Amino acid sequence: MRILGISALYHDSACALVVDGTVVAAAQEERFSRKKHDAGFPEHAIAYCLAEAGIQLNDVDHVVFYDKPFLKFERLLETYVSFAPKGFTSFKAAMPVWLKEKLFQKDLLSRELKRFANDFDWLNKLLFAEHHLSHAASAFFPSPFEDAAVLTMDGVGEWTTTSLAMGSGNRLEIHKELHFPHSLGLLYSAFTYYTGFKVNSGEYKLMGLAPYGEPKYTKLILDNLVDLKEDGSFRLDQSYFDYCTGLTMTNDRFAALFGQPVRRADKDQLTQFHMDIAASIQEVTEIIVSKLCRGIKAETGAKNLCLAGGVALNCVANGKILRQGIFDNIWIQPAAGDAGGALGAALAGYHLFKGQPRQVAGNGKDSMKGSYLGPVFEQADIEARLTQAGARFSVLGEDEVIAATAQALADEKAVGWMQGRMEFGPRALGGRSILGDPRSPSMQKTLNLKVKYRESFRPFAPSVLREDVAEWFDLDGDSPYMLLVAPVAEKHRRVMTEDENKLFGIDKLNVPRSSLPAITHVDYSARVQTIHADTNPRYHALISAFKGLTGCGVVVNTSFNVRGEPIVCTPEDAFRCFMGSEIEVLVVGNCFLKKEEQDEGLKLDYKNAFELD
């Protein structure tokens, strides 16, 4: 049985294909359209998924959409009625879009699908899953657990913002929900907006900024904005927010509570105040998630927990939940945001709507295939595409390409690394990555300012051999999807001087904190990715070769893109990014490219090529 899942028309559109319960392919539309967080109908992602399986749309048994548009429209109407006449401006802005396309989404989807097959039987084949059920399905069904509690947290689906589901075998039922406007995701996004970052894309910047600050406003937030119960349920005081009735996230009362206006990203510098605000909302988020988890444990007695929804991408909170030991095991869907809803919709279609059996992978392994679910390019195709693009390259043997890349990393060069299938989800996991030497004290600043063209405070993640993770970090378990933050092991930390300990805010940035300064954040933390030989043998071989040269089984891993650009998908994308940034070496398949050997006329200005995220 073939089930196609689609998420679209809000943000991060995607498609996923499940065949007889196995995840065959999944990809975000942005990777093909080259438009960050592309919300359009995922025609390219659908075409890829069908091609990967060698089928046509008419060969698909069902297409499942990841939420229910009529329930969303109901929320829009009821919210306006509840707050009327306040909020008419935002209601008036939303209505034409809904009346033109979103309310009649079934018709829109059927029209788009008929472009793939004119006689597509949408009346019988098109199904709809609720938003949080899609999230929950994406978390539970690929997990390594036969039974689990499933916590989903995001901005808002139709009505739901937080849900508890219980999964067993091929069954999954939602037991409890929190509803709009009381939302942890929207609360975090409100602070994203207040500190001058872009909502629905800048939340990870707020998380990265938090360690530079002190959580001075935690009590203020909990005393005024959030009525938090012991079981983790909560209500938000809407008199401080504008997302129900206006066109912004917060209002003047919110700004007055904290004593400063909303930061204007184009005019106002980040100050210690913004860092303290970031630290405070991060701590509040961790407190709420911890209480939710403890409440779920007390109520259900579950040993295993699965997480999904955009808040599950908060890897700092995830790491703290793991270390608190509330559950025996935790598994987080790598595409936890809306893109992953496409996968969840397909799995819900297969197991819940059609009642098909579920096979757990066993041996503690999940069924996500390392999240390497996107396009792959054969060597001959890579060579043809790079040649067409004007690239100059050497073709090396299997062992040679690993050795040459490891040497380039040891020489502190920034390396663009494109190998195998593209990752599904927001993280580059060694398929479409920019790599560096974590021992270099200048690597973080170089990658941020000269390669990624992004804010200097942003941290980088380490990829570490799974067998070496406990050597370098306070973690002795799997973290294949870069969704857990763990402290750098004490023995690798550098003792700070008295003067260094007095530093505040961004002044902390240039002080090396460990023997791996490029991946050690200012609070001695790191967003760890464990590399497994069975899911990514070439990446594992590269880090092993780097370890052979340096004694260090860790490399810096950041996504292969510049700020505002989607992660690269094709060899051409990789070459353009290589020529538009200060990446020094590019490795695509067995093709090895050096910047100094390229045609100067092909250089690009990627620093200003994309809208800032």
Side-chain angles (χ1 to χ4, degrees):
M1 181 176 286
R2 303 181 182 102
I3 309 284
L4 199 71
I6 293 174
S7 64
L9 308 174
Y10 180 46
H11 60 88
D12 293 308
S13 293
C15 179
L17 179 65
V18 170
V19 178
D20 295 332
T22 298
V23 185
V24 170
Q28 295 110 295
E29 184 68 9
E30 67 166 20
R31 306 293 171 83
F32 305 95
S33 68
R34 311 308 301 153
K35 179 183 175 184
K36 189 86 167 176
H37 302 302
D38 193 340
F41 184 78
E43 57 179 310
H44 299 95
I46 291 171
Y48 155 66
C49 287
L50 294 174
E52 182 65 31
I55 61 174
Q56 303 294 319
L57 185 61
N58 277 336
D59 298 320
V60 170
D61 294 280
H62 287 286
V63 176
V64 189
F65 193 68
Y66 82 128
D67 70 8
K68 293 189 173 181
F70 272 101
L71 287 178
K72 275 194 174 178
F73 187 64
E74 177 188 87
R75 168 168 56 83
L76 182 76
L77 291 176
E78 287 196 23
T79 301
Y80 174 63
V81 169
S82 298
F83 288 89
K86 191 180 177 184
F88 180 70
T89 302
S90 61
F91 181 74
K92 186 174 70 172
M95 284 307 292
V97 179
W98 273 94
L99 293 176
K100 184 179 179 183
E101 56 183 50
K102 291 191 176 183
L103 187 56
F104 305 103
Q105 222 157 74
K106 184 177 282 189
D107 290 340
L108 186 150
L109 291 169
S110 65
R111 284 199 308 273
E112 293 289 350
L113 290 169
K114 283 186 174 182
R115 290 167 55 189
F116 288 88
N118 193 47
D119 57 345
F120 178 71
D121 183 14
W122 64 269
L123 202 59
N124 293 307
K125 288 189 173 184
L126 187 56
L127 303 171
F128 292 82
E130 287 196 17
H131 186 97
H132 270 253
L133 183 64
S134 295
H135 274 320
S138 79
F140 175 62
F141 289 128
S143 79
F145 311 135
E146 186 66 38
D147 303 279
V150 187
L151 174 60
T152 67
M153 304 167 287
D154 65 2
V156 60
E158 295 88 0
W159 276 106
T160 307
T161 63
T162 305
S163 71
L164 164 64
M166 297 301 295
S168 179
N170 71 337
R171 306 312 300 159
L172 180 68
E173 292 183 5
I174 291 182
H175 282 228
K176 294 174 74 174
E177 296 177 335
L178 289 177
H179 285 175
F180 181 85
H182 309 293
S183 165
L184 182 53
L186 291 176
L187 175 67
Y188 205 87
S189 291
F191 282 87
T192 301
Y193 167 81
Y194 181 62
T195 49
F197 300 123
K198 202 171 187 178
V199 171
N200 287 332
S201 92
E203 283 77 8
Y204 55 91
K205 297 183 188 180
L206 196 64
M207 183 174 65
L209 191 64
Y212 294 95
E214 303 281 334
K216 296 178 179 179
Y217 302 98
T218 297
K219 188 174 186 302
L220 191 68
I221 294 169
L222 291 173
D223 286 350
N224 292 274
L225 303 184
V226 185
D227 178 14
L228 177 62
K229 306 301 183 187
E230 198 54 39
D231 67 352
S233 61
F234 60 90
R235 294 180 67 83
L236 303 183
D237 185 339
Q238 289 303 304
S239 67
Y240 291 95
F241 301 95
D242 211 22
Y243 57 77
C244 282
T245 59
L247 300 175
T248 59
M249 294 299 296
T250 63
N251 58 26
D252 291 342
R253 192 175 187 216
F254 186 102
L257 180 67
F258 295 102
Q260 289 200 26
V262 173
R263 185 177 81 91
R264 299 164 299 177
D266 57 339
K267 295 181 180 178
D268 302 330
Q269 291 292 313
L270 281 168
T271 66
Q272 188 62 49
F273 168 76
H274 300 111
M275 297 169 200
D276 293 342
I277 285 285
S280 302
I281 187 56
Q282 178 62 34
E283 184 171 71
V284 167
T285 299
E286 292 163 15
I287 291 169
I288 293 173
V289 174
S290 178
K291 284 185 179 291
L292 280 167
C293 288
R294 292 184 187 280
I296 290 169
K297 179 67 176 180
E299 180 178 339
T300 68
K303 293 182 178 180
N304 304 313
L305 177 71
C306 299
L307 294 171
V311 178
L313 294 171
N314 192 308
C315 48
V316 180
N318 295 342
K320 291 192 175 177
I321 295 303
L322 179 70
R323 288 192 294 281
Q324 286 171 7
I326 302 169
F327 294 89
D328 293 357
N329 305 290
I330 296 177
W331 190 83
I332 307 156
Q333 166 54 240
D338 271 13
L343 176 60
L347 290 166
Y350 186 76
H351 295 297
L352 301 181
F353 298 168
K354 306 308 292 183
Q356 296 299 306
R358 170 175 175 248
Q359 190 71 41
V360 179
N363 298 320
K365 300 292 185 184
D366 63 54
S367 56
M368 284 295 293
K369 301 178 181 176
S371 212
Y372 305 111
L373 297 167
V376 64
F377 297 86
E378 298 300 324
Q379 181 62 29
D381 191 24
I382 292 169
E383 293 175 28
R385 287 168 176 261
L386 289 177
T387 300
Q388 180 67 30
R392 296 169 181 168
F393 56 87
S394 303
V395 179
L396 306 179
E398 293 286 329
D399 294 337
E400 290 176 299
V401 78
I402 295 296
T405 307
Q407 187 60 59
L409 290 171
D411 292 339
E412 297 191 17
K413 295 186 185 299
V415 176
W417 176 256
M418 177 181 159
Q419 304 290 329
R421 296 185 73 175
M422 183 177 69
E423 304 91 337
F424 181 53
R427 309 277 187 242
L429 302 171
R432 305 288 188 276
S433 293
I434 298 172
L435 309 178
D437 184 345
R439 304 168 304 149
S440 167
S442 62
M443 186 57 67
Q444 182 193 7
K445 183 176 280 189
T446 297
L447 288 177
N448 267 329
L449 301 180
K450 294 187 175 182
V451 174
K452 301 283 284 189
Y453 303 126
R454 68 185 198 181
E455 300 91 345
S456 62
F457 67 81
R458 301 266 292 276
F460 287 104
S463 289
V464 56
L465 298 173
R466 171 61 184 89
E467 55 269 32
D468 286 0
V469 65
E471 160 65 25
W472 295 97
F473 305 99
D474 290 345
L475 175 70
D476 191 10
D478 295 348
S479 180
Y481 303 123
M482 209 185 282
L483 287 171
L484 295 171
V485 161
V488 172
E490 189 79 38
K491 64 182 177 182
H492 294 294
R493 298 185 191 181
R494 176 181 167 272
V495 178
M496 311 296 285
T497 67
E498 189 175 334
D499 286 341
E500 288 170 343
N501 275 319
K502 292 177 183 176
L503 294 173
F504 282 94
I506 215 75
D507 292 333
K508 298 176 181 178
L509 179 64
N510 298 322
V511 180
R513 295 183 170 254
S514 78
S515 57
L516 302 178
I519 56 87
T520 305
H521 209 8
V522 293
D523 58 354
Y524 293 104
S525 70
R527 190 177 70 201
V528 178
Q529 182 199 8
T530 53
I531 306 304
H532 305 249
D534 57 337
T535 54
N536 197 333
R538 179 167 270 210
Y539 194 32
H540 190 277
L542 173 63
I543 301 175
S544 298
F546 180 74
K547 179 182 177 181
L549 291 174
T550 65
C552 176
V554 185
V555 299
V556 177
N557 174 14
T558 186
S559 56
F560 197 159
N561 62 312
V562 300
R563 182 184 179 191
E565 179 195 20
I567 294 173
V568 302
C569 176
T570 67
E572 296 94 328
D573 296 336
F575 182 66
R576 282 192 297 269
C577 190
F578 173 59
M579 294 304 293
S581 67
E582 294 187 42
I583 297 172
E584 295 155 284
V585 170
L586 173 63
V587 190
V588 186
N590 285 355
C591 295
F592 194 88
L593 294 76
K594 298 178 181 178
K595 179 62 67 65
E596 64 270 19
E597 295 176 355
Q598 304 307 310
D599 181 351
E600 287 275 333
L602 295 177
K603 277 194 173 180
L604 299 167
D605 175 17
Y606 257 38
K607 189 170 186 176
N608 303 302
F610 297 93
E611 182 184 349
L612 299 185
D613 58 0

